């Protein structure tokens, strides 16, 4: 998680090398078995090999980095097995509580921001430059002040921006709801409150969608189900049209697609999607194997290095359509096996995939190790289910002695 969205650790080469070294130690100490992961790893390696042949040796370091990111996800899943989700939920619970302890007083009294930045003992300033503008993230380890925090006070948590935190919280809420068989349990309410404090467009849309569909299916009475769907639709429509950071923000992005694509290299959701799709037509090989993860192979706009934040189309452009299909199917399979493990309805796997693709439109989640681990969760949970079935069969067999 740290190397999948937290500014102190993300894109920090020394930190990542230490983390990979620790993962390698775990690989040896826990005797990680790659046999079940092998089909996916070979498919991933094939794509990287074709990209390397197509782009030349300068792509080698990028390919090695991608392999390391993938392997850390694989090792984490095999070491934690079905404890992966419970560990994730525990970590996110701590993060949610700490973020609210910071955010609520600051939201009520914004002047606290400057006081904390000047006096908080754990304070790491992270400086970046974008279009000649110097930006500073003030990190308190478990809480960040993003560069625009004083203009838009939003709960960022320890992630690089509020939208990313909102996305992680939605994933957390869904997994917790499957595990607890309800949305509005103690942890669920905590996560919902945190989602609301992010003021994130896509996190709000995902939250509306999840709660609306979850209870529409859960309710047994057709009349109550119809009423709940109607209330959800009306509430969603009102929020989209009235809240400034929902409908108007999306409309503005649609109007500025051409400018964002050509002048700023695709730094909005819609412009990113536009450029990602255009890139597939540059080389027929890209359709099947992607253009690769190096910015140099992007469409020739004014700024190739800008972060494109449409993660859903990014997977297609970087890895190709077959990989995208495989990624989506494995994501659904992993959540389905998680639902079966906790005896919850498996329709939630389809809903989870829809919500993740929606969240991915606003952030490049799918390039990080945590989300590689997430799509490979079917391996430990399916093995655990098989072991349960085997134990059950053993109990039911008559004693012939």
């Amino acid at each position: 998680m740290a190397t999948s969205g937290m500014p102190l650790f993300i894109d920090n080469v020394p930190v990542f090398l230490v983390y990979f070294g620790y993962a390698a130690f775990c690989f040896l100490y826990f005797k990680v078995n790659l046999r079940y992961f092998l089909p996916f790893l070979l498919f991933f390696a094939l794509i990287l090999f074709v990209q390397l042949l197509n782009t030349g040796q300068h792509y080698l370091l990028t390919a090695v980095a991608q392999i390391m990111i993938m392997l850390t996800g694989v090792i984490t899943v095999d070491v934690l097995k079905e404890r992966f989700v419970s560990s994730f939920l525990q970590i996110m619970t701590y993060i949610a509580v700490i973020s609210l302890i910071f955010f609520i007083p600051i939201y009520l009294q914004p002047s606290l921001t400057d006081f904390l930045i000047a006096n908080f003992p754990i304070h790491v300033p992270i400086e970046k430059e974008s279009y000649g503008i110097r930006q500073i993230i003030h990190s308190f380890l478990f809480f960040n002040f993003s560069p625009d925090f004083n203009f838009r006070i939003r709960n960022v948590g320890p992630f690089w921006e509020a939208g990313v935190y909102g996305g992680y919280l939605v994933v957390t809420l869904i997994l917790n709801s499957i595990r607890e068989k309800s949305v509005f349990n103690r942890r669920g309410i905590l996560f919902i409150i945190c989602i609301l404090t992010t003021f994130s467009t896509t996190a709000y849309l995902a939250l509306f969608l999840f709660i609306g569909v979850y209870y529409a299916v859960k309710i047994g009475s057709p009349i109550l189900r119809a009423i709940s769907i109607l209330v959800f639709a009306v509430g969603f429509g009102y929020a989209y049209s009235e809240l400034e950071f929902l409908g108007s923000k999306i409309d503005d992005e649609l109007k500025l697609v051409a400018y964002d694509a050509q002048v700023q290299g695709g730094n909005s959701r819609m412009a990113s999607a536009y450029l990602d799709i255009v890139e597939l037509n540059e080389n027929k090989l890209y359709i099947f194997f992607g253009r690769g993860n190096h910015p140099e192979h992007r469409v020739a706009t004014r700024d190739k290095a800008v972060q494109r934040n449409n993660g859903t189309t990014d997977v297609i452009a970087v890895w190709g359509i077959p990989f995208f299909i495989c990624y989506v199917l494995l994501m659904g399979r992993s959540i389905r096996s998680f639902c079966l493990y906790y005896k919850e309805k498996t329709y939630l796997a389809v809903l989870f995939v829809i919500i993740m693709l929606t969240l991915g439109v606003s952030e490049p989640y799918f390039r990080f190790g945590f989300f590689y681990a997430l799509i490979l969760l079917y391996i430990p949970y399916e093995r655990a289910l098989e072991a349960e079935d085997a134990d059950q069969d053993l109990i039911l067999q008559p004693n012939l002695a």
Side-chain angles (χ1 to χ4, degrees):
M1 285 179 61
T3 57
S4 296
M6 301 182 185
L8 268 180
F9 308 101
I10 195 170
D11 293 333
N12 188 322
V13 175
V15 167
F16 182 74
L17 289 175
V18 170
Y19 172 52
F20 184 75
Y22 174 69
F25 166 78
C26 290
F27 178 85
L28 297 172
Y29 184 81
F30 292 102
K31 298 177 181 176
V32 170
N33 186 355
L34 295 179
R35 180 164 64 93
Y36 296 97
F37 301 92
L38 211 52
F40 184 76
L41 288 175
L42 289 174
F43 181 43
F44 188 75
L46 171 65
I47 293 173
L48 280 175
F49 180 68
V50 173
Q51 290 178 354
L52 189 60
L53 290 178
N54 187 51
T55 55
Q57 287 189 345
H58 74 281
Y59 188 70
L60 185 60
L61 286 177
T62 302
V64 170
Q66 297 307 303
I67 291 170
M68 291 170 70
I69 291 169
M70 171 63 74
L71 285 177
T72 52
V74 168
I75 293 168
T76 304
V77 169
D78 195 74
V79 169
L80 290 176
K81 296 183 173 59
E82 59 269 27
R83 292 176 292 129
F84 182 96
V85 172
S86 58
S87 301
F88 169 64
L89 293 177
Q90 192 66 50
I91 291 168
M92 286 300 292
T93 300
Y94 294 142
I95 287 174
V97 170
I98 292 169
S99 72
L100 288 178
I101 290 172
F102 275 102
F103 178 77
I104 291 175
I106 292 170
Y107 189 75
L108 296 174
Q109 184 56 259
S111 61
L112 280 173
T113 302
D114 295 331
F115 175 80
L116 286 171
I117 289 173
N119 296 284
F120 199 74
I122 305 173
H123 177 202
V124 181
I126 304 167
E127 187 174 330
K128 291 187 177 182
E129 189 172 312
S130 178
Y131 300 110
I133 300 172
R134 181 169 164 268
Q135 296 181 323
I136 298 179
I137 296 172
H138 296 278
S139 176
F140 291 176
L141 188 59
F142 291 109
F143 190 85
N144 293 323
F145 293 98
S146 54
D148 62 347
F149 189 86
N150 287 328
F151 304 101
R152 293 192 301 167
I153 300 178
R154 306 162 70 193
N155 190 352
V156 179
F159 297 90
W160 77 72
E161 77 99 18
V164 179
Y165 186 31
Y168 269 92
L169 286 166
V170 170
V171 172
T172 309
L173 176 66
I174 297 173
L175 295 178
N176 183 67
S177 300
I178 293 171
R179 194 164 177 261
E180 302 297 330
K181 297 182 178 60
S182 73
V183 175
F184 294 100
N185 51 73
R186 188 168 59 179
R187 271 187 178 176
I189 292 170
L190 170 66
F191 298 141
I192 289 170
I193 292 170
C194 279
I195 291 169
L196 295 177
T197 61
T198 64
F199 300 103
S200 165
T201 308
T202 45
Y204 274 45
L205 293 175
L207 180 64
F208 269 115
L209 181 60
F210 174 64
I211 294 177
V213 174
Y214 184 89
Y215 282 106
V217 175
K218 282 271 188 181
I219 294 170
S221 167
I223 296 174
L224 289 176
R225 186 180 300 170
I227 291 172
S228 68
I229 292 172
L230 179 63
V231 169
F232 164 72
V234 170
F236 177 82
Y238 176 80
Y240 184 89
S241 61
E242 296 297 325
L243 295 179
E244 182 182 349
F245 59 90
L246 283 178
S248 61
K249 179 177 178 180
I250 295 171
D251 292 341
D252 289 344
E253 284 195 10
L254 285 170
K255 293 173 185 175
L256 295 172
V257 166
Y259 174 80
D260 286 336
Q262 296 304 318
V263 178
Q264 296 187 326
N267 70 336
S268 72
R269 288 169 282 201
M270 303 307 169
S272 296
Y274 168 75
L275 290 175
D276 287 336
I277 300 306
V278 167
E279 283 169 351
L280 292 179
N281 294 320
E282 286 203 329
N283 187 326
K284 296 301 180 187
L285 196 67
Y286 292 172
I287 295 173
F288 299 100
F289 297 99
R291 60 162 166 78
N293 207 43
H294 199 289
E296 184 60 34
H297 307 128
R298 290 177 172 179
V299 170
T301 56
R302 192 171 297 183
D303 186 353
K304 286 188 176 185
V306 70
Q307 175 177 288
R308 293 192 193 165
N309 53 9
N310 192 320
T312 299
T313 56
D314 180 72
V315 178
I316 301 172
V318 171
W319 302 110
I321 292 174
F323 182 88
F324 175 76
I325 294 170
C326 178
Y327 195 102
V328 169
L329 291 175
L330 290 184
M331 186 189 298
R333 183 177 175 179
S334 290
I335 303 305
R336 182 180 184 277
S337 63
F338 181 65
C339 290
L340 290 172
Y341 185 81
Y342 283 103
K343 297 176 174 57
E344 183 59 285
K345 301 291 185 182
T346 55
Y347 78 91
L348 289 170
V350 177
L351 180 59
F352 183 88
V353 170
I354 293 170
I355 287 174
M356 279 311 305
L357 294 179
T358 302
L359 288 170
V361 167
S362 67
E363 300 291 348
Y365 295 109
F366 308 127
R367 65 177 59 174
F368 296 117
F370 173 81
F371 289 92
Y372 284 132
L374 197 63
I375 68 167
L376 295 171
L377 281 181
Y378 73 90
I379 293 172
Y381 283 109
E382 285 184 0
R383 291 172 67 186
L385 289 167
E386 288 170 3
E388 283 183 10
D389 290 341
D391 290 343
Q392 189 66 29
D393 289 342
L394 194 63
I395 292 170
L396 294 175
Q397 284 178 1
N399 188 353
L400 300 176

